[in-house]
Amino acid sequence: MLSFSLGTNMKVNEKNLIAIANAPNLVVDKEGWLNKKGENSKGFQKRWFVLKGNLLYYFEKRTDKEPAGVVIVEGCTVELSEDDEAYSFNITFHGNGDRTFILSAETQESMEEWMKAITCASYDYMKVMVAELQKQVDELTELERLRKLGFNSVIDGSTLPPVVPSRHRHNPFNLVEREANINVATRKVNKKQNFSSIHNEYGQQIIRERDVWKKDKKSKETSGTSIISEDVLVVL
């Protein structure tokens, strides 16, 4: 019978867990030998561990098809162990029926890799990471919007310049007109313009100005004027 450990208020299907363990199409996040301390003994037993998502399987032999057990790494913490065994760490479940798994690796590097992999495998950790990434996307989107409106100083942390109200009456529902009044540039604002198109637009402008500079340089060289001979490389 499969031995499994999981957080509180969680139901699992044993057959499904075994099927996932043997599914060849599922990515293995990490696998290798670890020493596992027995629940009712003080000794360590060598087991082959396989991490798939938030499921940490362990087998008595590497070639076994059915795992000896599985640890569902939700609602737990991973931390260094106070056990005398070298390179050991704990997987501790909190709440009713607390339980701690004590595992040990062969080297310090292997121990750190396993601790990191198990910590990052939980759904709670992924949820925090997704929220942080979403926050960064929102911030970049807002910066892009401000750049589009000409408020480049906000990138440096300075305050936004006050918007001078227009002296003529205009239609408040005309978005193009309203954005044109706010924009410090004379070019027309395109509602669908993104940061990439702005980058390309200014890049082409730099290239045109560089061509003018090179023509002016060539003209000065032909007239005998001494100037710096090295070209300026513009990286876009």
Side-chain angles (χ1 to χ4, degrees):
M1 181 178 178
L2 177 67
S3 172
F4 57 87
S5 297
L6 60 162
T8 57
N9 300 324
M10 187 183 299
K11 296 181 180 180
V12 296
N13 186 298
E14 182 175 338
K15 291 183 180 180
N16 288 342
L17 290 177
I18 296 176
I20 293 173
N22 296 314
N25 59 327
L26 294 181
V27 176
V28 174
D29 297 302
K30 189 170 180 58
E31 61 182 352
W33 291 106
L34 289 173
N35 298 313
K36 175 182 174 294
K37 192 169 187 178
E39 184 177 0
N40 299 319
S41 64
K42 296 182 179 180
F44 281 81
Q45 298 172 328
K46 193 173 184 179
R47 295 287 183 262
W48 179 257
F49 280 79
V50 177
L51 180 64
K52 288 187 174 182
N54 62 351
L55 302 176
L56 180 62
Y57 294 95
Y58 54 94
F59 302 78
E60 291 185 2
K61 299 178 181 179
R62 184 174 181 176
T63 55
D64 287 350
K65 295 297 182 181
E66 183 171 328
V70 58
V71 180
I72 303 178
V73 290
E74 297 291 347
C76 60
T77 57
V78 182
E79 54 194 1
L80 291 174
S81 175
E82 297 180 358
D83 195 271
D84 294 334
E85 183 77 5
Y87 313 122
S88 60
F89 60 97
N90 296 342
I91 302 177
T92 303
F93 289 89
H94 304 280
N96 296 330
D98 289 357
R99 182 178 177 183
T100 299
F101 285 86
I102 303 178
L103 307 175
S104 69
E106 296 296 327
T107 64
Q108 176 76 18
E109 181 181 4
S110 177
M111 180 193 71
E112 292 176 357
E113 290 177 354
W114 272 106
M115 291 181 68
K116 181 179 179 181
I118 296 172
T119 300
C120 298
S122 71
Y123 174 76
D124 289 338
Y125 178 85
M126 295 298 296
K127 188 165 59 174
V128 171
M129 291 301 299
V130 169
E132 179 61 28
L133 290 174
Q134 183 61 54
K135 179 181 177 182
Q136 295 179 20
V137 170
D138 293 341
E139 291 175 351
L140 291 174
T141 302
E142 179 65 13
L143 286 176
E144 181 180 344
R145 186 184 72 83
L146 293 174
R147 287 192 188 99
K148 181 178 177 181
L149 297 176
F151 296 132
N152 294 323
S153 60
V154 75
I155 302 175
D156 302 326
S158 57
T159 57
L160 293 175
V163 178
V164 179
S166 175
R167 292 181 178 273
H168 67 278
R169 299 181 63 184
H170 60 87
N171 182 358
F173 299 101
N174 189 336
L175 182 60
V176 175
E177 178 185 349
R178 186 169 58 191
E179 291 183 348
N181 291 333
I182 296 176
N183 199 342
V184 297
T186 57
R187 62 182 176 84
K188 183 178 179 181
V189 176
N190 184 355
K191 292 171 62 178
K192 295 184 179 180
Q193 193 174 30
N194 55 27
F195 180 74
S196 177
S197 61
I198 294 175
H199 181 276
N200 292 333
E201 178 182 340
Y202 282 103
Q204 293 298 324
Q205 181 179 347
I206 292 174
I207 292 175
R208 290 194 297 270
E209 292 179 356
R210 180 176 181 271
D211 290 339
V212 172
W213 174 82
K214 291 179 69 175
K215 290 180 180 179
D216 183 62
K217 170 188 171 184
K218 185 175 181 181
S219 176
K220 289 181 180 181
E221 286 178 345
T222 55
S223 62
T225 304
S226 176
I227 61 175
I228 299 174
S229 59
E230 295 182 356
D231 289 340
V232 177
L233 177 62
V234 178
V235 180
L236 299 179

